[in-house]
Amino acid sequence: MRPTNHPSLPALALLAALGCSPLLAQAQASCSSDGNAQPVALYERFINADCESCWAGPPAHAPGPTALVLDWIVPGGLADDAPLSAAATRDALQRLQDLGRSVPQFSDTHTAEVQPLPGRLRVASGLAMNDYLGTGISFKAVPGAPLPAGSYAYSLLLVESVPAGTAGTPVDRNVVRNVLQGIWNAGTSLSKKEQISWMENRSMRTPEGANPDRLFMAGWLQDAQGRIVAAAQSRCAAGS
């Protein structure tokens, strides 16, 4: 998909369109993935920040209803002058590197099936305080079903939903705004009666311009071979 020749949307205008508002009392209360179906696939769209038409045009493929859909805005060659620079993040570059993919000139899509381990991943967030949001991710294995030994990498994402028809997008988008990552280890000495339960709680900075009423958490767990073995996302009503 090639960029059009019409004037690009300035970065500050996109920032305002995404909902520039203070993180005050109107931010939603605590929210988690409890009660939500676990995604069965990860569907990631990468858009070069230089390519306004990639954002303004419909994606080539539509994700399934059970997928965790994410939109990464990748820093482009125009840097701060790029049309989508307000939502660009270096986390997108790191994600591409982790996947072994190069920065797209226009846009790119990556999909992965979740190959679930016996257990449940949970993501959650609390009230915003100043520019920070309390967040958490945890995984609880099914009793009697120990996980294969090894290292498991978790990714916890602060995501902003952008409804179709707003900010110049014709489709619903889930823009990744911040990322936390870490490693959990499953040892070799667990008995069948022992149960793995991992938890990580962190404060995550909310970028300038993020709309607190549209924020939610998403995350996944992957094994040492890079396979996604669990995924989760929270969905909360505005002002809940």
Side-chain angles (χ1 to χ4, degrees), residues 169-192:
T169 175
V171 297
D172 293 337
R173 295 195 182 274
N174 298 317
V175 181
V176 178
R177 303 294 258 153
N178 207 341
V179 179
L180 287 174
Q181 294 180 307
I183 299 292
W184 289 324
N185 291 297
T188 58
S189 60
L190 290 176
S191 69
K192 289 187 177 180

Side-chain angles (χ1 to χ4, degrees), residues 8-238:
S8 61
L9 181 66
L12 289 179
L14 177 61
L15 191 66
L18 286 176
C20 186
S21 55
L23 297 176
L24 298 175
Q26 67 267 36
Q28 62 189 22
S30 60
C31 176
S32 76
S33 58
D34 294 346
N36 291 346
Q38 301 255 294
V40 301
L42 183 61
Y43 186 99
E44 300 173 271
R45 300 182 290 220
F46 296 88
I47 298 177
N48 191 305
D50 295 347
C51 185
E52 182 185 351
S53 66
C54 298
W55 171 272
H61 304 284
T66 56
L68 170 55
V69 182
L70 300 169
D71 291 279
W72 300 85
I73 310 300
V74 186
L78 298 178
D80 291 343
D81 292 328
L84 307 179
S85 65
T89 170
R90 295 195 64 81
D91 291 321
L93 295 173
Q94 183 61 55
R95 179 58 180 158
L96 285 169
Q97 181 177 327
D98 292 344
L99 292 171
R101 302 169 85 98
S102 58
V103 174
Q105 184 178 1
F106 303 115
S107 63
D108 191 16
T109 300
H110 172 261
T111 61
E113 180 182 353
V114 177
Q115 304 176 47
L117 289 175
R120 188 170 182 87
L121 189 70
R122 181 180 189 267
V123 295
S125 62
L127 283 172
M129 298 293 290
N130 296 322
D131 294 330
Y132 288 86
L133 189 69
T135 67
I137 184 170
S138 62
F139 180 82
K140 190 172 185 179
V142 172
L147 303 184
S151 297
Y152 292 83
Y154 67 82
S155 296
L156 178 62
L157 286 64
L158 179 64
V159 185
E160 182 172 0
S161 63
V162 183
T166 64
T169 175
V171 297
D172 293 337
R173 295 195 182 274
N174 298 317
V175 181
V176 178
R177 303 294 258 153
N178 207 341
V179 179
L180 287 174
Q181 294 180 307
I183 299 292
W184 289 324
N185 291 297
T188 58
S189 60
L190 290 176
S191 69
K192 289 187 177 180
K193 293 183 179 179
E194 292 178 297
Q195 181 180 353
I196 286 181
S197 182
W198 291 314
M199 179 181 295
E200 189 74 31
N201 294 313
R202 298 279 190 92
S203 294
M204 187 177 290
R205 188 178 184 279
T206 305
E208 180 183 357
N211 185 331
D213 290 329
R214 292 181 179 173
L215 296 176
F216 67 95
M217 306 305 301
W220 67 79
L221 187 67
Q222 64 186 60
D223 64 15
Q225 288 70 48
R227 294 173 297 204
I228 307 297
V229 296
Q233 61 182 328
S234 65
R235 287 293 188 187
C236 301

